[in-house]
């Protein structure tokens, strides 16, 4: 059992791409245990072995963010073996390929369930175990800009997203409305064929809502969302121009922002980005 005094960093979806690069960076920068989580045990352990050849020493932990049972078991292992968490990087996610012939209903439900609802399930389950001065990084995307909802700044969905009183549940409710609209083939106020963009818009919006909620938390937890950039990974079909290590730079920055730094903000290219006016 690890000492509860030792630092603990957790990266979801850490077996490849940007997630693996974030694990690599944390192993180099963070003094403590770095937990590389992945749904598939073989893939996760292979990633750990790869990093060990680089002189690094992450620890594999199984975590399927789509399984409440898996999340609960992971939480129990955190309680038993580590005592708490200092850094949580919510990196796990999904993006359908451009050439995918899957119906939009499937794309919308699977993408929102993975990128938003499951990510929040992990966050809320682990939040009670975040230590004083801990950091949460929500890996979002450049596609989370509000122009991808509508170019019209007075659009009703945009107005709801930027409402300073918007709660976490309010974001979830809005995205459930989107899924109902997709089920009914109703795009009167929603962009068509944009489930990935909307999932990341929602992640950025919900980060703002959680940041407001945590403002009154005595633990001083910092949460921010960020865009890694256009990275050469499986998710981008290797069209990206950045290496995974370059894509990890901004997420890693989110892991070490000073305790009195920004909270609930969105970052791109190592800088805070004005998401409320993201055109």
């Amino acid at each position: 059992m690890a000492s509860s005094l030792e630092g603990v960093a957790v990266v979801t979806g850490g077996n490849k791409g940007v997630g693996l690069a974030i694990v690599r960076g944390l192993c180099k920068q963070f003094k403590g245990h770095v937990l590389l989580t992945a749904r598939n045990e073989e893939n996760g352990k292979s990633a750990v072995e790869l990093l060990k050849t680089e002189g690094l020493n992450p620890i594999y932990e199984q975590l399927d963010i789509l399984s409440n049972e898996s999340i609960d078991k992971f939480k129990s292992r955190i309680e038993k073996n580590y005592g708490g968490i200092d850094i949580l990087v919510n990196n796990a996610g999904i993006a359908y390929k451009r050439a995918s012939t899957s119906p939009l209903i499937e794309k919308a439900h699977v993408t929102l369930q993975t990128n938003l609802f499951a990510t929040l399930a992990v966050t809320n389950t682990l939040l009670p175990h975040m230590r004083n001065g801990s950091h949460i990084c929500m890996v979002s995307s450049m596609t989370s800009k509000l122009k991808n909802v509508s170019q019209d700044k007075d659009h009703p969905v945009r107005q709801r997203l930027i409402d300073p009183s918007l709660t976490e549940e309010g974001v979830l409710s809005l995205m459930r409305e989107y899924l109902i609209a997709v089920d009914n083939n109703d795009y009167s106020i929603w962009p068509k064929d944009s489930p990935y963009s909307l999932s990341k818009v929602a992640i950025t919006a919900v980060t703002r809502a959680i940041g407001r909620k945590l403002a009154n938390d005595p633990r001083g937890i910092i949460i921010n969302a960020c865009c890694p950039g256009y990275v050469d990974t499986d998710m981008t079909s290797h069209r990206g121009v950045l290496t995974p290590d370059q894509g990890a730079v901004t997420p890693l920055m989110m892991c070490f922002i000073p305790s009195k730094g920004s909270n609930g903000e969105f970052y791109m290219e190592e800088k805070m980005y004005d998401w409320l006016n993201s055109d």
Side-chain angles (χ1 to χ4, degrees):
M1 178 176 175
S3 167
S4 61
L5 297 178
E6 294 177 289
V8 175
V10 175
V11 181
T12 68
N15 61 288
K16 65 177 182 177
V18 173
L20 180 62
I22 294 171
V23 173
R24 177 183 289 114
L26 285 171
C27 285
K28 294 177 179 179
Q29 299 179 40
F30 179 68
K31 294 181 180 180
H33 303 287
V34 179
L35 309 188
L36 182 159
T37 79
R39 176 173 54 186
N40 182 279
E41 181 176 355
E42 181 180 354
N43 292 343
K45 289 185 174 179
S46 294
V48 165
E49 291 305 311
L50 171 64
L51 292 178
K52 284 184 176 180
T53 66
E54 301 175 16
L56 306 174
N57 193 35
I59 301 167
Y60 169 69
E61 289 281 357
Q62 196 278 336
L63 175 60
D64 178 358
I65 70 169
L66 288 168
S67 165
N68 289 332
E69 180 183 5
S70 178
I71 295 171
D72 287 339
K73 286 182 177 179
F74 179 74
K75 179 198 70 170
S76 295
R77 294 197 302 277
I78 289 292
E79 292 173 331
K80 178 181 178 181
N81 299 326
Y82 303 101
I85 300 172
D86 299 278
I87 293 173
L88 171 61
V89 181
N90 282 308
N91 167 76
I94 188 172
Y96 280 78
K97 304 297 184 184
R98 293 179 183 176
S100 172
T101 58
S102 298
L104 181 56
I105 287 179
E106 174 192 318
K107 291 179 181 177
H109 281 271
V110 172
T111 302
L112 268 293
Q113 182 60 39
T114 305
N115 294 356
L116 177 63
F117 295 102
T119 294
L120 279 179
V122 171
T123 304
N124 288 328
T125 299
L126 298 181
L127 193 56
H129 305 283
M130 302 300 294
R131 292 180 172 133
N132 292 345
S134 57
H135 293 74
I136 302 173
C137 170
M138 308 288 269
V139 177
S140 187
S141 165
M142 65 180 71
T143 66
S144 75
K145 294 180 180 181
L146 288 168
K147 69 177 182 180
N148 290 320
V149 174
S150 173
Q151 295 282 355
D152 179 7
K153 291 188 176 182
D154 294 324
H155 189 275
V157 175
R158 282 190 61 155
Q159 287 300 304
R160 287 174 66 181
L161 285 165
I162 66 173
D163 183 344
S165 66
L166 182 66
T167 63
E168 179 181 337
E169 180 53 39
V171 177
L172 298 181
S173 178
L174 185 59
M175 290 302 107
R176 292 187 191 106
E177 290 177 31
Y178 163 69
L179 292 175
I180 291 172
V182 173
D183 292 344
N184 293 322
N185 197 31
D186 176 10
Y187 300 100
S188 54
I189 63 170
W190 296 101
K192 190 172 184 180
D193 201 20
S194 300
Y196 180 78
S197 294
L198 286 172
S199 75
K200 293 302 185 178
V201 167
I203 277 292
T204 302
V206 88
T207 298
R208 296 178 63 82
I210 296 173
R212 288 191 289 269
K213 180 175 69 175
L214 289 176
N216 298 317
D217 192 306
R219 290 173 292 173
I221 301 170
I222 300 292
I223 183 170
N224 288 292
C226 70
C227 168
Y230 195 33
V231 185
D232 179 2
T233 64
D234 289 346
M235 185 172 281
T236 65
S237 299
H238 299 283
R239 294 188 177 94
V241 297
L242 301 177
T243 67
D245 287 329
Q246 290 172 325
V249 170
T250 301
L252 286 168
M253 177 183 169
M254 300 299 95
C255 298
F256 300 102
I257 285 179
S259 59
K260 293 185 179 180
S262 61
N263 209 347
E265 299 293 345
F266 178 67
Y267 283 75
M268 288 180 63
E269 298 175 345
E270 302 176 68
K271 298 177 182 178
M272 191 187 298
Y273 186 81
D274 184 8
W275 184 77
L276 292 175
N277 298 289
S278 50
D279 289 320

